Amino acid sequence: MAIAAPLSTYRTTVKKEWVDYNHHLNDGYYLVIFSLATDAFMDQIAMDAAARESTKTTIYTLEGHINYLREVKEGEEVEVRTQLIGFDQKRFQLFHTMHVARFDGPAATSEFMLLNVDTSGEDAKSAAFREDVATKLREIMQAHSALPKPDNSGRAIALPKR
Amino acid sequence: MAIAAPLSTYRTTVKKEWVDYNHHLNDGYYLVIFSLATDAFMDQIAMDAAARESTKTTIYTLEGHINYLREVKEGEEVEVRTQLIGFDQKRFQLFHTMHVARFDGPAATSEFMLLNVDTSGEDAKSAAFREDVATKLREIMQAHSALPKPDNSGRAIALPKR
């Protein structure tokens, strides 16, 4: 089956416990939703919970960046789409966009750097991806290689220059 | 009273609903805690909920960046400390660090760009800070001006160069 570019990784409805007094999705909970989309992406690269357990490997989030573009309301259905930006021996870089039906463009974008970790020993330590995981990442990267780099990828926070 | 540099803005205990199956704070919920620290900072610049309501102004989060440095456990007490990096007529840039007693350095750092918004009209629109808010920001900025720029301020996500 062809790999979608970007992938539609996650859908949810905005829960009551995620919104502020105005019934808008609270800024912190955008990241909770994006984190669930990262979990769904992990399911697609042979890193679901069962595989993590049986192979004594897991994924750590090293770093994230988020841009808030639109307010999202309690009860709205949101969809997260995911582009694989790149990967190396033990890291991968994901770019997610959050969509609601009311808007043409995304309501938010986010980017994450993630690290493969070996949990078999006393202390967890970074490690090269298992070969089946690396194969999945190569396949998705090939499907996503024609996508342009998103505008908000690699952004740094700074006040506008005067 | 002297303004602390950095400010100790927020303390909480890591809740059961914030952790993963390993009883570690889930990556998305670090941002939920940092968002609560931003709310506490807003209380210190005359932008608490009552002032936002009475003056028809509010603060939008435009952008955030987070670095995950340590695992934090269910039930642990965390403290967030906050440095004001800068501000202009309508924006301010905050840098938070999250601390738990077990570690010397921070367990996570984060940075946010926030925008002052006028909610008096039909559509919310960005606006210059009220004078009392600008005065508070100036006072905190003066107290924080001797702090070094944090290492993780202004970071961009990228795979290491090979």
Side-chain angles (χ1 to χ4, degrees), chain A residues 124-153:
Chain A
K125 59 178 194 294
S126 69
F129 293 114
R130 305 190 320 262
E131 189 45 42
D132 55 338
V133 176
T135 299
K136 292 282 187 186
L137 286 169
R138 269 192 297 274
E139 289 170 2
I140 296 170
M141 195 69 242
Q142 181 152 4
H144 289 193
S145 60
L147 292 173
K149 189 187 175 202
D151 286 346
N152 285 343
S153 174

PDB file of all heavy atoms in Angstrom, chain A residues 124-153:
ATOM      1  N   ALA A 124      19.146   3.256  30.838  1.00  0.00           N
ATOM      2  CA  ALA A 124      18.732   3.441  29.453  1.00  0.00           C
ATOM      3  C   ALA A 124      19.833   4.196  28.708  1.00  0.00           C
ATOM      4  O   ALA A 124      20.415   5.128  29.256  1.00  0.00           O
ATOM      5  CB  ALA A 124      17.435   4.237  29.415  1.00  0.00           C
ATOM      6  N   LYS A 125      20.111   3.763  27.445  1.00  0.00           N
ATOM      7  CA  LYS A 125      21.117   4.504  26.671  1.00  0.00           C
ATOM      8  C   LYS A 125      20.720   4.553  25.202  1.00  0.00           C
ATOM      9  O   LYS A 125      20.052   3.642  24.692  1.00  0.00           O
ATOM     10  CB  LYS A 125      22.511   3.906  26.859  1.00  0.00           C
ATOM     11  CG  LYS A 125      22.648   2.457  26.467  1.00  0.00           C
ATOM     12  CD  LYS A 125      24.124   2.032  26.672  1.00  0.00           C
ATOM     13  CE  LYS A 125      24.384   0.703  25.980  1.00  0.00           C
ATOM     14  NZ  LYS A 125      23.633  -0.408  26.609  1.00  0.00           N
ATOM     15  N   SER A 126      21.126   5.623  24.533  1.00  0.00           N
ATOM     16  CA  SER A 126      20.766   5.780  23.130  1.00  0.00           C
ATOM     17  C   SER A 126      21.394   4.662  22.315  1.00  0.00           C
ATOM     18  O   SER A 126      22.473   4.162  22.650  1.00  0.00           O
ATOM     19  CB  SER A 126      21.206   7.144  22.615  1.00  0.00           C
ATOM     20  OG  SER A 126      22.611   7.225  22.548  1.00  0.00           O
ATOM     21  N   ALA A 127      20.713   4.254  21.239  1.00  0.00           N
ATOM     22  CA  ALA A 127      21.179   3.113  20.448  1.00  0.00           C
ATOM     23  C   ALA A 127      20.658   3.250  19.024  1.00  0.00           C
ATOM     24  O   ALA A 127      19.650   3.913  18.773  1.00  0.00           O
ATOM     25  CB  ALA A 127      20.649   1.814  21.060  1.00  0.00           C
ATOM     26  N   ALA A 128      21.361   2.601  18.077  1.00  0.00           N
ATOM     27  CA  ALA A 128      20.899   2.602  16.685  1.00  0.00           C
ATOM     28  C   ALA A 128      19.547   1.901  16.597  1.00  0.00           C
ATOM     29  O   ALA A 128      19.243   0.985  17.370  1.00  0.00           O
ATOM     30  CB  ALA A 128      21.920   1.882  15.805  1.00  0.00           C
ATOM     31  N   PHE A 129      18.714   2.353  15.645  1.00  0.00           N
ATOM     32  CA  PHE A 129      17.409   1.721  15.423  1.00  0.00           C
ATOM     33  C   PHE A 129      17.573   0.237  15.096  1.00  0.00           C
ATOM     34  O   PHE A 129      18.545  -0.163  14.452  1.00  0.00           O
ATOM     35  CB  PHE A 129      16.695   2.374  14.225  1.00  0.00           C
ATOM     36  CG  PHE A 129      16.292   3.797  14.460  1.00  0.00           C
ATOM     37  CD1 PHE A 129      16.875   4.833  13.733  1.00  0.00           C
ATOM     38  CD2 PHE A 129      15.310   4.112  15.393  1.00  0.00           C
ATOM     39  CE1 PHE A 129      16.497   6.153  13.944  1.00  0.00           C
ATOM     40  CE2 PHE A 129      14.924   5.429  15.607  1.00  0.00           C
ATOM     41  CZ  PHE A 129      15.521   6.447  14.883  1.00  0.00           C
ATOM     42  N   ARG A 130      16.604  -0.582  15.521  1.00  0.00           N
ATOM     43  CA  ARG A 130      16.540  -1.953  15.027  1.00  0.00           C
ATOM     44  C   ARG A 130      16.395  -1.900  13.497  1.00  0.00           C
ATOM     45  O   ARG A 130      15.859  -0.943  12.946  1.00  0.00           O
ATOM     46  CB  ARG A 130      15.319  -2.687  15.619  1.00  0.00           C
ATOM     47  CG  ARG A 130      15.251  -2.682  17.124  1.00  0.00           C
ATOM     48  CD  ARG A 130      14.152  -3.633  17.632  1.00  0.00           C
ATOM     49  NE  ARG A 130      12.930  -3.625  16.859  1.00  0.00           N
ATOM     50  CZ  ARG A 130      11.830  -2.916  17.190  1.00  0.00           C
ATOM     51  NH1 ARG A 130      11.807  -2.142  18.264  1.00  0.00           N
ATOM     52  NH2 ARG A 130      10.756  -2.994  16.432  1.00  0.00           N
ATOM     53  N   GLU A 131      16.801  -2.966  12.810  1.00  0.00           N
ATOM     54  CA  GLU A 131      16.782  -2.936  11.348  1.00  0.00           C
ATOM     55  C   GLU A 131      15.360  -2.797  10.811  1.00  0.00           C
ATOM     56  O   GLU A 131      15.131  -2.078   9.824  1.00  0.00           O
ATOM     57  CB  GLU A 131      17.466  -4.175  10.768  1.00  0.00           C
ATOM     58  CG  GLU A 131      17.694  -4.118   9.261  1.00  0.00           C
ATOM     59  CD  GLU A 131      18.247  -2.775   8.737  1.00  0.00           C
ATOM     60  OE1 GLU A 131      19.149  -2.209   9.379  1.00  0.00           O
ATOM     61  OE2 GLU A 131      17.734  -2.287   7.707  1.00  0.00           O
ATOM     62  N   ASP A 132      14.359  -3.434  11.455  1.00  0.00           N
ATOM     63  CA  ASP A 132      12.985  -3.305  10.954  1.00  0.00           C
ATOM     64  C   ASP A 132      12.452  -1.883  11.111  1.00  0.00           C
ATOM     65  O   ASP A 132      11.692  -1.407  10.263  1.00  0.00           O
ATOM     66  CB  ASP A 132      12.044  -4.335  11.610  1.00  0.00           C
ATOM     67  CG  ASP A 132      12.043  -4.285  13.129  1.00  0.00           C
ATOM     68  OD1 ASP A 132      13.016  -3.779  13.725  1.00  0.00           O
ATOM     69  OD2 ASP A 132      11.061  -4.754  13.728  1.00  0.00           O
ATOM     70  N   VAL A 133      12.894  -1.206  12.158  1.00  0.00           N
ATOM     71  CA  VAL A 133      12.487   0.188  12.348  1.00  0.00           C
ATOM     72  C   VAL A 133      13.160   1.074  11.301  1.00  0.00           C
ATOM     73  O   VAL A 133      12.495   1.921  10.666  1.00  0.00           O
ATOM     74  CB  VAL A 133      12.834   0.669  13.782  1.00  0.00           C
ATOM     75  CG1 VAL A 133      12.504   2.142  13.958  1.00  0.00           C
ATOM     76  CG2 VAL A 133      12.105  -0.182  14.824  1.00  0.00           C
ATOM     77  N   ALA A 134      14.445   0.876  11.091  1.00  0.00           N
ATOM     78  CA  ALA A 134      15.181   1.658  10.091  1.00  0.00           C
ATOM     79  C   ALA A 134      14.576   1.477   8.701  1.00  0.00           C
ATOM     80  O   ALA A 134      14.471   2.432   7.926  1.00  0.00           O
ATOM     81  CB  ALA A 134      16.661   1.269  10.098  1.00  0.00           C
ATOM     82  N   THR A 135      14.142   0.244   8.392  1.00  0.00           N
ATOM     83  CA  THR A 135      13.513  -0.020   7.091  1.00  0.00           C
ATOM     84  C   THR A 135      12.226   0.778   6.939  1.00  0.00           C
ATOM     85  O   THR A 135      11.977   1.388   5.892  1.00  0.00           O
ATOM     86  CB  THR A 135      13.229  -1.531   6.943  1.00  0.00           C
ATOM     87  OG1 THR A 135      14.470  -2.219   7.014  1.00  0.00           O
ATOM     88  CG2 THR A 135      12.525  -1.841   5.632  1.00  0.00           C
ATOM     89  N   LYS A 136      11.405   0.790   7.982  1.00  0.00           N
ATOM     90  CA  LYS A 136      10.159   1.574   7.953  1.00  0.00           C
ATOM     91  C   LYS A 136      10.450   3.063   7.762  1.00  0.00           C
ATOM     92  O   LYS A 136       9.772   3.752   7.000  1.00  0.00           O
ATOM     93  CB  LYS A 136       9.376   1.376   9.255  1.00  0.00           C
ATOM     94  CG  LYS A 136       8.801  -0.022   9.435  1.00  0.00           C
ATOM     95  CD  LYS A 136       7.551  -0.180   8.589  1.00  0.00           C
ATOM     96  CE  LYS A 136       6.864  -1.508   8.902  1.00  0.00           C
ATOM     97  NZ  LYS A 136       5.727  -1.738   7.977  1.00  0.00           N
ATOM     98  N   LEU A 137      11.445   3.561   8.489  1.00  0.00           N
ATOM     99  CA  LEU A 137      11.788   4.985   8.361  1.00  0.00           C
ATOM    100  C   LEU A 137      12.256   5.304   6.936  1.00  0.00           C
ATOM    101  O   LEU A 137      11.867   6.329   6.372  1.00  0.00           O
ATOM    102  CB  LEU A 137      12.879   5.359   9.379  1.00  0.00           C
ATOM    103  CG  LEU A 137      12.394   5.465  10.836  1.00  0.00           C
ATOM    104  CD1 LEU A 137      13.591   5.578  11.790  1.00  0.00           C
ATOM    105  CD2 LEU A 137      11.455   6.660  11.037  1.00  0.00           C
ATOM    106  N   ARG A 138      13.053   4.405   6.350  1.00  0.00           N
ATOM    107  CA  ARG A 138      13.508   4.610   4.958  1.00  0.00           C
ATOM    108  C   ARG A 138      12.330   4.658   4.000  1.00  0.00           C
ATOM    109  O   ARG A 138      12.278   5.493   3.096  1.00  0.00           O
ATOM    110  CB  ARG A 138      14.470   3.486   4.534  1.00  0.00           C
ATOM    111  CG  ARG A 138      15.938   3.795   4.796  1.00  0.00           C
ATOM    112  CD  ARG A 138      16.858   2.795   4.096  1.00  0.00           C
ATOM    113  NE  ARG A 138      16.673   1.436   4.586  1.00  0.00           N
ATOM    114  CZ  ARG A 138      17.311   0.936   5.659  1.00  0.00           C
ATOM    115  NH1 ARG A 138      18.179   1.668   6.329  1.00  0.00           N
ATOM    116  NH2 ARG A 138      17.074  -0.299   6.054  1.00  0.00           N
ATOM    117  N   GLU A 139      11.353   3.765   4.199  1.00  0.00           N
ATOM    118  CA  GLU A 139      10.180   3.720   3.315  1.00  0.00           C
ATOM    119  C   GLU A 139       9.358   5.002   3.419  1.00  0.00           C
ATOM    120  O   GLU A 139       8.923   5.561   2.410  1.00  0.00           O
ATOM    121  CB  GLU A 139       9.300   2.511   3.659  1.00  0.00           C
ATOM    122  CG  GLU A 139       9.922   1.180   3.265  1.00  0.00           C
ATOM    123  CD  GLU A 139       9.152  -0.030   3.826  1.00  0.00           C
ATOM    124  OE1 GLU A 139       8.115   0.170   4.498  1.00  0.00           O
ATOM    125  OE2 GLU A 139       9.609  -1.159   3.590  1.00  0.00           O
ATOM    126  N   ILE A 140       9.138   5.442   4.662  1.00  0.00           N
ATOM    127  CA  ILE A 140       8.350   6.674   4.845  1.00  0.00           C
ATOM    128  C   ILE A 140       9.123   7.875   4.305  1.00  0.00           C
ATOM    129  O   ILE A 140       8.567   8.750   3.635  1.00  0.00           O
ATOM    130  CB  ILE A 140       7.974   6.867   6.333  1.00  0.00           C
ATOM    131  CG1 ILE A 140       7.061   5.724   6.799  1.00  0.00           C
ATOM    132  CG2 ILE A 140       7.285   8.217   6.551  1.00  0.00           C
ATOM    133  CD1 ILE A 140       6.810   5.668   8.305  1.00  0.00           C
ATOM    134  N   MET A 141      10.444   7.900   4.561  1.00  0.00           N
ATOM    135  CA  MET A 141      11.267   9.020   4.073  1.00  0.00           C
ATOM    136  C   MET A 141      11.193   9.098   2.552  1.00  0.00           C
ATOM    137  O   MET A 141      11.097  10.200   1.991  1.00  0.00           O
ATOM    138  CB  MET A 141      12.714   8.840   4.541  1.00  0.00           C
ATOM    139  CG  MET A 141      13.568  10.093   4.416  1.00  0.00           C
ATOM    140  SD  MET A 141      13.068  11.390   5.581  1.00  0.00           S
ATOM    141  CE  MET A 141      12.580  12.687   4.434  1.00  0.00           C
ATOM    142  N   GLN A 142      11.224   7.947   1.906  1.00  0.00           N
ATOM    143  CA  GLN A 142      11.138   7.951   0.439  1.00  0.00           C
ATOM    144  C   GLN A 142       9.798   8.534  -0.019  1.00  0.00           C
ATOM    145  O   GLN A 142       9.741   9.361  -0.933  1.00  0.00           O
ATOM    146  CB  GLN A 142      11.309   6.532  -0.091  1.00  0.00           C
ATOM    147  CG  GLN A 142      11.260   6.472  -1.620  1.00  0.00           C
ATOM    148  CD  GLN A 142      12.057   5.301  -2.176  1.00  0.00           C
ATOM    149  OE1 GLN A 142      12.598   4.480  -1.424  1.00  0.00           O
ATOM    150  NE2 GLN A 142      12.137   5.232  -3.490  1.00  0.00           N
ATOM    151  N   ALA A 143       8.710   8.130   0.664  1.00  0.00           N
ATOM    152  CA  ALA A 143       7.379   8.641   0.306  1.00  0.00           C
ATOM    153  C   ALA A 143       7.256  10.136   0.590  1.00  0.00           C
ATOM    154  O   ALA A 143       6.492  10.839  -0.073  1.00  0.00           O
ATOM    155  CB  ALA A 143       6.308   7.871   1.074  1.00  0.00           C
ATOM    156  N   HIS A 144       8.014  10.630   1.570  1.00  0.00           N
ATOM    157  CA  HIS A 144       7.904  12.041   1.975  1.00  0.00           C
ATOM    158  C   HIS A 144       8.986  12.930   1.361  1.00  0.00           C
ATOM    159  O   HIS A 144       9.004  14.135   1.611  1.00  0.00           O
ATOM    160  CB  HIS A 144       7.953  12.147   3.506  1.00  0.00           C
ATOM    161  CG  HIS A 144       6.714  11.639   4.178  1.00  0.00           C
ATOM    162  ND1 HIS A 144       6.418  11.871   5.498  1.00  0.00           N
ATOM    163  CD2 HIS A 144       5.652  10.924   3.700  1.00  0.00           C
ATOM    164  CE1 HIS A 144       5.255  11.308   5.820  1.00  0.00           C
ATOM    165  NE2 HIS A 144       4.786  10.711   4.744  1.00  0.00           N
ATOM    166  N   SER A 145       9.856  12.347   0.572  1.00  0.00           N
ATOM    167  CA  SER A 145      11.013  13.112   0.087  1.00  0.00           C
ATOM    168  C   SER A 145      10.611  14.220  -0.882  1.00  0.00           C
ATOM    169  O   SER A 145      11.336  15.210  -1.025  1.00  0.00           O
ATOM    170  CB  SER A 145      12.030  12.180  -0.571  1.00  0.00           C
ATOM    171  OG  SER A 145      11.422  11.516  -1.661  1.00  0.00           O
ATOM    172  N   ALA A 146       9.436  14.074  -1.530  1.00  0.00           N
ATOM    173  CA  ALA A 146       9.008  15.117  -2.473  1.00  0.00           C
ATOM    174  C   ALA A 146       8.270  16.262  -1.778  1.00  0.00           C
ATOM    175  O   ALA A 146       8.002  17.298  -2.395  1.00  0.00           O
ATOM    176  CB  ALA A 146       8.115  14.504  -3.555  1.00  0.00           C
ATOM    177  N   LEU A 147       7.915  16.087  -0.503  1.00  0.00           N
ATOM    178  CA  LEU A 147       7.217  17.165   0.219  1.00  0.00           C
ATOM    179  C   LEU A 147       8.192  18.309   0.488  1.00  0.00           C
ATOM    180  O   LEU A 147       9.345  18.076   0.846  1.00  0.00           O
ATOM    181  CB  LEU A 147       6.683  16.658   1.565  1.00  0.00           C
ATOM    182  CG  LEU A 147       5.546  15.629   1.525  1.00  0.00           C
ATOM    183  CD1 LEU A 147       5.265  15.111   2.940  1.00  0.00           C
ATOM    184  CD2 LEU A 147       4.287  16.227   0.917  1.00  0.00           C
ATOM    185  N   PRO A 148       7.737  19.558   0.336  1.00  0.00           N
ATOM    186  CA  PRO A 148       8.629  20.666   0.674  1.00  0.00           C
ATOM    187  C   PRO A 148       8.880  20.722   2.179  1.00  0.00           C
ATOM    188  O   PRO A 148       8.061  20.239   2.970  1.00  0.00           O
ATOM    189  CB  PRO A 148       7.852  21.906   0.219  1.00  0.00           C
ATOM    190  CG  PRO A 148       6.420  21.485   0.175  1.00  0.00           C
ATOM    191  CD  PRO A 148       6.408  20.009  -0.104  1.00  0.00           C
ATOM    192  N   LYS A 149       9.997  21.298   2.576  1.00  0.00           N
ATOM    193  CA  LYS A 149      10.255  21.527   3.996  1.00  0.00           C
ATOM    194  C   LYS A 149       9.232  22.554   4.492  1.00  0.00           C
ATOM    195  O   LYS A 149       9.088  23.627   3.899  1.00  0.00           O
ATOM    196  CB  LYS A 149      11.682  22.057   4.184  1.00  0.00           C
ATOM    197  CG  LYS A 149      12.096  22.105   5.652  1.00  0.00           C
ATOM    198  CD  LYS A 149      13.449  22.785   5.842  1.00  0.00           C
ATOM    199  CE  LYS A 149      13.754  22.913   7.331  1.00  0.00           C
ATOM    200  NZ  LYS A 149      14.723  23.958   7.646  1.00  0.00           N
ATOM    201  N   PRO A 150       8.496  22.245   5.566  1.00  0.00           N
ATOM    202  CA  PRO A 150       7.468  23.191   6.040  1.00  0.00           C
ATOM    203  C   PRO A 150       8.101  24.512   6.490  1.00  0.00           C
ATOM    204  O   PRO A 150       9.216  24.539   7.011  1.00  0.00           O
ATOM    205  CB  PRO A 150       6.847  22.454   7.242  1.00  0.00           C
ATOM    206  CG  PRO A 150       7.189  21.007   7.041  1.00  0.00           C
ATOM    207  CD  PRO A 150       8.519  21.004   6.352  1.00  0.00           C
ATOM    208  N   ASP A 151       7.342  25.610   6.294  1.00  0.00           N
ATOM    209  CA  ASP A 151       7.827  26.946   6.679  1.00  0.00           C
ATOM    210  C   ASP A 151       8.266  26.996   8.138  1.00  0.00           C
ATOM    211  O   ASP A 151       9.235  27.674   8.467  1.00  0.00           O
ATOM    212  CB  ASP A 151       6.719  27.993   6.486  1.00  0.00           C
ATOM    213  CG  ASP A 151       6.488  28.318   5.021  1.00  0.00           C
ATOM    214  OD1 ASP A 151       7.346  27.955   4.187  1.00  0.00           O
ATOM    215  OD2 ASP A 151       5.442  28.914   4.702  1.00  0.00           O
ATOM    216  N   ASN A 152       7.529  26.322   9.018  1.00  0.00           N
ATOM    217  CA  ASN A 152       7.836  26.424  10.446  1.00  0.00           C
ATOM    218  C   ASN A 152       8.857  25.394  10.927  1.00  0.00           C
ATOM    219  O   ASN A 152       9.143  25.334  12.126  1.00  0.00           O
ATOM    220  CB  ASN A 152       6.561  26.305  11.282  1.00  0.00           C
ATOM    221  CG  ASN A 152       5.725  27.568  11.235  1.00  0.00           C
ATOM    222  OD1 ASN A 152       6.219  28.618  10.849  1.00  0.00           O
ATOM    223  ND2 ASN A 152       4.457  27.471  11.614  1.00  0.00           N
ATOM    224  N   SER A 153       9.422  24.606  10.024  1.00  0.00           N
ATOM    225  CA  SER A 153      10.463  23.650  10.421  1.00  0.00           C
ATOM    226  C   SER A 153      11.760  24.400  10.735  1.00  0.00           C
ATOM    227  O   SER A 153      12.175  25.292   9.992  1.00  0.00           O
ATOM    228  CB  SER A 153      10.695  22.646   9.298  1.00  0.00           C
ATOM    229  OG  SER A 153      11.782  21.799   9.603  1.00  0.00           O
TER     230      SER A 153
END
